[in-house]
Amino acid sequence: MKQTHILSWLAPKTKFDGHIDIGLPSTKELSNRSTRLEDRKALRNNQEIKKLTLRKEYVPDIEAIMSEWMDDVGKSHVREMAAHYGVYEHLFGPKAFFLPEVELQVKYHSENSSMPVYYGNVVKPKDCVNAPSVHFNSSSDDLWTLVLTNPDGCFYDQTKECLHWLVANIRDGDIKTGEVMCDYLPPFPPKGVGYQRLVFILYKQDSLIDLSEYKIKHENRYQLQLRTFSTYDFYKNLEDHITPAGLAFYQSDYDLSVKSTCHNLLEIKEPIYEYDFSNFYPVNEDVLWFPHKKSFNVYLDRYRDPKDIAKQKLLNKLKKVNPIGPQEEDLKYPLAQIHYVRGDPKLPSWLKREKQWEYRKLGKYSEGFLE
């Protein structure tokens, strides 16, 4: 009986109508929903698993579950995740996609731990200092090309990518047998830019290919301008000889190891991106950030441009001007109007004070204001 994981019975939801599949042809049809539900029901009714679960002794075979998931609907789920992160659109154009028919297993290894690469998980730059191990199933006759590219990390052209690794003519699924066209470069997302995407793409070749035009000499491997790359142009030039077959990608953001990469490897100053917020109000010793028992309109007028106040005063005055008839006269008894305003429950306190100043011609409503 299949140990169907909960992900395995979920049907893909993203529609790719009108898109072009540039990948390998599918070797297996997806199971239908009824079959997945039957497998799930049978798993729930398995008495042996129930007993182990109640005793908290059941240990699922994660590798078997993941392998079964990838053989069934997992490829479609990966396609959805890649589309969600804009991998297809930003690398191959808005209408292209492919199903990862070859499962790509990527792991970064350090002294004390290993960090796998899945489909959008976060991997810190300190864990990516050395080149990862890459494994995939292959026959002895197949040839492959592996590309690691960063669509968010090119300093010289925002429409291009930064190439971090390129190995061609790989035999028997062993990276060590391939020709290294571009040495591995660890990610270096600058401080202030957030997460950057790093994408592994495995291409299947139909024969030996010559990628000497993408060759970066070992002594020039840290010259970033030479690593300017375009997946779209790369695939367009070689589409008759290579086909996208495998995919894995992760996100990485700044940590302190980026400084070491910039200074020791790239020999550049560490780029830091910051946003300078403009000062909306003048900062001086008289500014009270939390005025107590003061109307907010009075407080804001204190730091407004006097020209704006004069303009507001003029507009209010022009509203009362009648160009073809008699002018509106001033109130004969303004204090009586003030008492009426004070008693109006619909007006807020700040507006009552504003109208009182207007009737009594005080403050900014005085005749000599800004004259």
Side-chain angles (χ1 to χ4, degrees), residues 45-199:
N45 295 333
N46 188 301
Q47 297 301 322
E48 182 180 354
I49 293 180
K50 278 187 176 181
K51 291 178 182 180
L52 293 174
T53 303
L54 291 174
R55 294 198 297 263
K56 298 183 179 180
E57 298 176 355
Y58 178 64
V59 180
D61 188 349
I62 301 299
E63 292 185 0
I65 291 173
M66 291 297 294
S67 177
E68 180 186 334
W69 171 66
M70 282 301 296
D71 287 341
D72 194 6
V73 296
K75 301 170 186 176
S76 297
H77 291 169
V78 173
R79 177 184 62 180
E80 290 188 2
M81 288 183 280
H84 173 76
Y85 284 100
V87 172
Y88 297 134
E89 179 181 359
H90 296 157
L91 296 186
F92 296 99
K95 293 295 183 180
F97 77 95
F98 67 91
L99 287 174
E101 295 294 335
V102 179
E103 184 179 359
L104 198 58
Q105 299 178 358
V106 183
K107 278 189 178 181
Y108 282 100
H109 300 279
S110 58
E111 295 181 358
N112 301 323
S113 62
S114 62
M115 179 64 68
V117 174
Y118 295 118
Y119 310 104
N121 59 314
V122 176
V123 182
K124 302 296 287 187
K126 65 180 180 180
D127 299 321
C128 309
V129 176
N130 300 316
S133 62
V134 181
H135 300 283
F136 54 92
N137 294 327
S138 170
S139 64
S140 58
D141 298 331
D142 291 337
L143 296 170
W144 308 87
T145 294
L146 180 68
V147 174
L148 172 58
T149 182
N150 181 351
D152 308 312
C154 184
F155 290 165
Y156 301 95
D157 189 345
Q158 294 183 355
T159 63
K160 302 291 184 179
E161 307 149 29
C162 179
L163 181 63
H164 284 257
W165 202 17
L166 175 57
V167 184
N169 298 318
I170 302 171
R171 298 176 182 274
D172 200 21
D174 187 0
I175 297 295
K176 297 179 182 179
T177 63
E179 301 175 15
V180 179
M181 298 290 106
C182 176
D183 289 325
Y184 175 79
L185 176 67
F188 52 96
K191 184 177 182 180
V193 302
Y195 291 99
Q196 291 187 346
R197 299 162 295 172
L198 286 103
V199 186

Side-chain angles (χ1 to χ4, degrees), residues 80-337:
E80 290 188 2
M81 288 183 280
H84 173 76
Y85 284 100
V87 172
Y88 297 134
E89 179 181 359
H90 296 157
L91 296 186
F92 296 99
K95 293 295 183 180
F97 77 95
F98 67 91
L99 287 174
E101 295 294 335
V102 179
E103 184 179 359
L104 198 58
Q105 299 178 358
V106 183
K107 278 189 178 181
Y108 282 100
H109 300 279
S110 58
E111 295 181 358
N112 301 323
S113 62
S114 62
M115 179 64 68
V117 174
Y118 295 118
Y119 310 104
N121 59 314
V122 176
V123 182
K124 302 296 287 187
K126 65 180 180 180
D127 299 321
C128 309
V129 176
N130 300 316
S133 62
V134 181
H135 300 283
F136 54 92
N137 294 327
S138 170
S139 64
S140 58
D141 298 331
D142 291 337
L143 296 170
W144 308 87
T145 294
L146 180 68
V147 174
L148 172 58
T149 182
N150 181 351
D152 308 312
C154 184
F155 290 165
Y156 301 95
D157 189 345
Q158 294 183 355
T159 63
K160 302 291 184 179
E161 307 149 29
C162 179
L163 181 63
H164 284 257
W165 202 17
L166 175 57
V167 184
N169 298 318
I170 302 171
R171 298 176 182 274
D172 200 21
D174 187 0
I175 297 295
K176 297 179 182 179
T177 63
E179 301 175 15
V180 179
M181 298 290 106
C182 176
D183 289 325
Y184 175 79
L185 176 67
F188 52 96
K191 184 177 182 180
V193 302
Y195 291 99
Q196 291 187 346
R197 299 162 295 172
L198 286 103
V199 186
F200 291 88
I201 302 178
L202 182 68
Y203 298 91
K204 186 175 182 180
Q205 305 172 197
D206 61 356
S207 61
L208 287 171
I209 56 175
D210 181 14
L211 296 182
S212 56
E213 61 176 308
Y214 299 97
K215 176 72 175 179
I216 298 178
K217 294 182 179 180
H218 183 74
E219 58 271 19
N220 299 329
R221 64 190 182 279
Y222 296 131
Q223 295 185 19
L224 287 181
Q225 194 164 4
L226 298 178
R227 290 180 176 266
T228 302
F229 183 73
S230 171
T231 299
Y232 180 85
D233 295 337
F234 176 78
Y235 176 69
K236 185 178 180 180
N237 294 334
L238 299 168
E239 62 180 338
D240 294 335
H241 305 287
I242 62 174
T243 305
L247 176 68
F249 60 94
Y250 66 96
Q251 303 178 83
S252 189
D253 62 339
Y254 175 83
D255 66 12
L256 294 178
S257 67
V258 174
K259 179 180 294 187
S260 176
T261 301
C262 292
H263 291 178
N264 300 330
L265 299 183
L266 302 178
E267 297 183 353
I268 60 173
K269 292 183 179 180
E270 179 189 5
I272 298 177
Y273 294 88
E274 297 178 336
Y275 182 80
D276 295 329
F277 292 91
S278 59
N279 295 323
F280 294 98
Y281 302 106
V283 179
N284 53 53
E285 297 179 356
D286 298 332
V287 173
L288 298 176
W289 294 106
F290 301 98
H292 184 59
K293 293 184 178 180
K294 290 185 178 181
S295 300
F296 81 92
N297 59 316
V298 178
Y299 176 70
L300 294 181
D301 284 346
R302 182 179 180 183
Y303 302 106
R304 285 176 62 189
D305 189 345
K307 294 182 180 179
D308 293 339
I309 299 177
K311 180 180 179 181
Q312 179 186 354
K313 175 185 173 183
L314 178 61
L315 293 176
N316 291 338
K317 185 176 181 180
L318 291 176
K319 289 180 181 179
K320 301 178 181 180
V321 174
N322 188 350
I324 59 175
Q327 304 299 323
E328 181 180 349
E329 297 181 358
D330 294 336
L331 295 174
K332 189 175 182 180
Y333 303 103
L335 292 180
Q337 187 70 15

Side-chain angles (χ1 to χ4, degrees), residues 19-49:
H19 289 61
I20 302 174
D21 187 354
I22 60 175
L24 294 174
S26 180
T27 57
K28 183 179 178 181
E29 294 184 0
L30 299 181
S31 60
N32 54 41
R33 181 176 177 82
S34 61
T35 303
R36 293 194 294 269
L37 291 177
E38 289 176 3
D39 291 339
R40 187 164 177 256
K41 184 178 180 180
L43 183 63
R44 285 184 171 182
N45 295 333
N46 188 301
Q47 297 301 322
E48 182 180 354
I49 293 180

